[in-house]
Short mmCIF file of all heavy atoms in Angstrom, two decimals:
data_model
loop_
_atom_site.label_atom_id
_atom_site.label_comp_id
_atom_site.label_asym_id
_atom_site.label_seq_id
_atom_site.Cartn_x
_atom_site.Cartn_y
_atom_site.Cartn_z
N LEU A 33 -4.45 16.48 -0.11
CA LEU A 33 -5.56 15.52 0.03
C LEU A 33 -6.06 15.20 -1.38
O LEU A 33 -6.24 13.97 -1.71
CB LEU A 33 -6.56 16.00 0.89
CG LEU A 33 -7.66 14.95 1.25
CD1 LEU A 33 -8.26 15.14 2.63
CD2 LEU A 33 -8.80 14.92 0.19
N PHE A 84 -6.96 26.23 -10.52
CA PHE A 84 -7.53 25.78 -9.25
C PHE A 84 -8.85 25.01 -9.45
O PHE A 84 -9.67 25.47 -10.20
CB PHE A 84 -7.71 27.05 -8.41
CG PHE A 84 -8.21 26.79 -6.92
CD1 PHE A 84 -7.51 25.73 -6.21
CD2 PHE A 84 -9.17 27.58 -6.32
CE1 PHE A 84 -8.01 25.44 -4.89
CE2 PHE A 84 -9.47 27.34 -5.04
CZ PHE A 84 -8.93 26.28 -4.35
N SER A 87 -8.07 19.75 -10.71
CA SER A 87 -7.68 18.40 -10.31
C SER A 87 -8.78 17.71 -9.58
O SER A 87 -8.77 16.48 -9.38
CB SER A 87 -6.38 18.51 -9.47
OG SER A 87 -6.72 19.27 -8.32
N ALA A 150 -29.52 17.73 -8.81
CA ALA A 150 -29.94 16.73 -7.78
C ALA A 150 -31.24 17.19 -7.04
O ALA A 150 -32.12 16.35 -6.85
CB ALA A 150 -28.83 16.65 -6.74
N LEU A 191 -20.54 -0.49 2.80
CA LEU A 191 -19.77 -1.57 2.33
C LEU A 191 -20.57 -2.69 1.73
O LEU A 191 -20.19 -3.30 0.68
CB LEU A 191 -18.93 -2.19 3.54
CG LEU A 191 -17.40 -1.74 3.60
CD1 LEU A 191 -16.83 -2.30 4.90
CD2 LEU A 191 -16.66 -2.18 2.36
N MET A 234 -23.54 -5.47 -24.95
CA MET A 234 -23.48 -6.40 -23.90
C MET A 234 -23.59 -7.87 -24.33
O MET A 234 -23.09 -8.78 -23.68
CB MET A 234 -24.49 -6.03 -22.84
CG MET A 234 -24.17 -4.77 -22.17
SD MET A 234 -25.24 -4.38 -20.87
CE MET A 234 -24.00 -3.45 -19.89
#
Side-chain angles (χ1 to χ4, degrees):
L33 187 149
F84 186 41
S87 61
L191 260 175
M234 291 186 153

